[in-house]
Amino acid sequence: MRWTRLCSAAVSAAALSVLVAAPNAATAPREEPPCTAGTAPYQRELEEELGLEADGRQSPEDCAAIRELQRRLGISPADGRADLRTYRYVLADRVRRDPAERGGCPTRAYRVTCVDLNRQLLWVQQDEGLVFDPVPVRTGRDGLETRGGWHRIYWRNIDHFSTIYNVPMPYAQFFDGGQALHGTEDDLFSSGSGGCVNLTLADAEALWDLLRDEDHVYVWGTKPGTGG
């Protein structure tokens, strides 16, 4: 009997220690893994954005700061690499925060979908305000550039399929001939489209919900690496 009581007491004490220790284990801060990404093509630009020494060379401190920036902007993976994807999201955030960065797109009392070929960004503005925040896009590649100037959306097809390129074009909103705003699962940060303005599927769906037939689209600039 005495042995049973001692065992019970020992078990109770052990259980109590687990209950006491568990919250401490759960709330203990996890050690941040080291940031190991090397120097990437947009190193200097992101160093300047973050107020770091702009020497164009990655350091552990640079990597950690870029990783934190990526987390703030919702970029995945947040690996600290100064790549084109991160740079484009930084540009989009800059346009969102600063009205002066939207100067290439005309201000009107009606909605204007702004397609900036220079920075490969799209947003929608009305008067002085944003009604669709800036997002990265992919426009036409060399020889198949997205056509500049004023356009209007003339046909929308939520589940379009291109027989020319044999690819799906979800949330397609056509604004000039065969050129449309539409979603894609392809990488927005490599190569180019056949002239359409490609968005992520989530962005294309949100833009579909916002725009209507006869809405205005304004395209300007030159996609990097193309002739016009």
Side-chain angles (χ1 to χ4, degrees), residues 9 12 16 19 22 67 83 85 99 105 110 121 133 147 173 193 210-212 219 225 227:
S12 298
L16 180 61
L19 291 174
R67 180 168 63 183
D83 56 7
R85 175 190 303 270
C105 191
Y110 47 80
L121 299 176
D133 283 347
R147 291 182 281 275
Q173 304 188 76
S193 72
L210 174 67
L211 301 183
R212 297 292 181 267
V219 181

Side-chain angles (χ1 to χ4, degrees), residues 9-116:
V11 170
S12 298
L16 180 61
S17 68
V18 170
L19 291 174
V20 171
N24 293 333
T27 57
R30 297 194 320 182
E31 185 177 346
E32 180 83 322
C35 197
T36 58
T39 299
Y42 291 85
Q43 190 72 41
R44 189 179 301 275
E45 289 86 349
L46 292 186
E47 288 168 346
E48 291 174 350
E49 179 71 20
L50 291 166
L52 304 169
E53 181 185 357
D55 58 6
R57 297 192 301 271
Q58 181 81 300
S59 69
E61 294 75 20
D62 293 343
C63 188
I66 293 169
R67 180 168 63 183
E68 188 57 36
L69 172 68
Q70 290 169 330
R71 287 171 176 165
R72 179 173 67 81
L73 296 178
I75 299 169
S76 181
D79 56 8
R81 188 169 186 273
D83 56 7
L84 178 58
R85 175 190 303 270
T86 302
Y87 180 59
R88 289 265 169 82
Y89 275 100
V90 164
L91 292 179
D93 186 57
R94 192 181 296 167
V95 173
R96 179 188 62 81
R97 290 184 287 107
D98 186 359
E101 294 283 342
R102 306 171 207 153
C105 191
T107 300
R108 296 290 187 270
Y110 47 80
R111 279 193 306 247
V112 178
T113 298
C114 307
V115 181
D116 181 348

Side-chain angles (χ1 to χ4, degrees), residues 188-218:
L188 295 182
F189 307 98
S190 64
S191 184
S193 72
C196 290
V197 178
N198 297 162
L199 303 95
T200 67
L201 292 177
D203 290 339
E205 181 180 10
L207 192 63
W208 171 275
D209 290 340
L210 174 67
L211 301 183
R212 297 292 181 267
D213 286 343
E214 297 300 315
D215 268 1
H216 293 76
V217 178
Y218 184 74

